[in-house]
Amino acid sequence: MTATESHGVTSLDDVDIHSLDRYVADGYPWADWDLLRKEAPVYWYEREGFPPFWAVTRYQDVHTVGSLPQIFSNAGPILRLDTEHGLERFAYFRQRQAERYGWDVNEPMDMVFKDRPDHLDMRLLTMRRFTPAAMRRLETDLDAITKKFVGQFVEKARNTSEPLDIVAELALPVPLATICGLMGLPEDDWYRISEMTDQLFIGELAAEHALPGESLADARRRLGSDLFDYLEEIIDDRRARGPEGGDDLANLLVHATIDDQPLTQQQLHGYLMLLIGAGNETTRNSIAGGVRVLLEHPDQAALLAGDVGAYTETTVEEIMRWVSPVIQFARTATEDYELSGTLIKKGDTVGLWYPSANRDETMFDDPYRFDVTRNPNYHLAFGHGGHFCLGANLARWEMRSVFRELAPYLEHLELVGEPRRLPHLHVGAVHSQFVRWV
């Protein structure tokens, strides 16, 4: 049964894949995506208060757009779909940031906003640190991080009758410790980094870190200023150390060059923030979502626990397909192009909906069945093409380590309530998900 059949969406006019309230209350709009794939897989989506775009929901079409970066550009006016108000706020933030720090307002925020050759030049600076071979060299360290946090979580769960938040206790600290360790950031700074970066991802989170009597706006400004100062300190420290002063990612970037030119201060800030944010947020939500779906499917959790050697890798891939933490990216057409019989015109915005592609019945047998033995599993959770997620291998190795270590304890855990979802249209962010030891 598809989500459409179970939720009764019957008209394209009723499709709503952009309203944040729906995502917060109900999670992903599976029924709407089902209907789009069936009746209008390349659909001109025009709703009040939201810039119009082509909604691309089928696997093959998402794959095609990702394969044609020369036609579908990352460097257009919209990279992540948002309301008109949200895009205006982002543009205002960029303008104020440039004015405050003397930066170039036309410089892309980070390399994700670039096309080749600039994107590839930036990507190559760190790409070798995220290859499978590099991950194998890190495997002992990753396992040590996982054992520490899974062990702490299990011990706490066993010894309390109160529900525990799997996000705060496990899904957040593992990727945070991993990426901060790779960047050479001191352990004492890790949770402070999380506080400072959370408010950039979702501004309302700044309220949780506000000082007594501090407004939300003031808390955001303070945390943003603190983050800028912190990155400045990291950059200054690595410059003082010199190129031989460390093997961490921060030192690598500070001393890296492209065409014999070092990165600007603005580019360094963008790259460091990209590593912290991308290395933390999506994996956090994948781990939390993975725990949830395994507890919802105890037969699959039992399969994993019964033979972690056989099923850890396939379990992680199925979790990535099922959770699909990145909801959408946008591209701008650089020329007219016919996609599955629909003419996309030069300058049009194209929205790629990855969770929908990962439930495409023409690509996945029984896509609404969670199956830890599914193999092959060519999901698009990490994207496709030249912008395929730089940290995909790191995320995979982290998750394999987490679920390999957690597998024996899943039978002792039960879900408590629904997840608290955050209002974000780019990443399916989960603030908290409680579980209880039984």
Side-chain angles (χ1 to χ4, degrees), residues 268-282:
L268 286 171
H269 273 258
Y271 212 133
L272 293 172
M273 270 305 308
L274 177 64
L275 290 175
I276 293 171
N280 176 20
E281 186 61 40
T282 52

Side-chain angles (χ1 to χ4, degrees), residues 159-270:
N159 290 289
T160 181
S161 59
E162 297 298 316
L164 289 182
D165 179 11
I166 195 72
V167 176
E169 301 291 342
L170 185 61
L172 186 155
V174 170
L176 181 66
T178 301
I179 193 61
C180 286
L182 290 174
M183 295 178 69
L185 306 181
E187 185 172 352
D188 290 345
D189 295 348
W190 292 352
Y191 281 97
R192 178 61 175 156
I193 291 168
S194 178
E195 290 180 359
M196 293 186 293
T197 56
D198 274 353
Q199 62 86 26
L200 288 178
F201 180 66
I202 297 178
E204 290 76 4
L205 290 177
E208 299 184 2
H209 311 302
L211 301 175
E214 191 175 41
S215 69
L216 174 61
D218 287 341
R220 291 194 68 183
R221 280 191 288 269
R222 174 179 55 80
L223 290 166
S225 178
D226 288 351
L227 178 59
F228 177 86
D229 292 342
Y230 182 79
L231 294 179
E232 286 282 285
E233 291 172 6
I234 295 299
I235 294 167
D236 289 346
D237 174 75
R238 297 312 192 271
R239 284 205 178 105
R241 293 186 189 186
E244 306 303 321
D247 192 41
D248 58 78
L249 286 171
N251 205 56
L252 171 67
L253 286 171
V254 167
H255 298 286
T257 60
I258 296 176
D259 295 331
D260 296 324
Q261 295 297 314
L263 303 188
T264 66
Q265 199 80 353
Q266 183 177 358
Q267 289 170 334
L268 286 171
H269 273 258

Side-chain angles (χ1 to χ4, degrees), residues 15 18 30 38-39 44 59 82 87 107 117 147 158 164 175 202 209-210 218 269 276 281 284 293 310 324 389 423 425:
V15 166
H18 76 281
W30 298 112
K38 179 181 178 182
E39 296 191 6
W44 185 244
Y59 182 99
D82 201 347
L87 293 172
E107 171 69 30
K147 287 180 183 294
R158 277 175 167 164
L164 289 182
I202 297 178
H209 311 302
D218 287 341
H269 273 258
I276 293 171
E281 186 61 40
R284 175 198 312 185
V293 68
S324 291
C389 177
L425 195 59

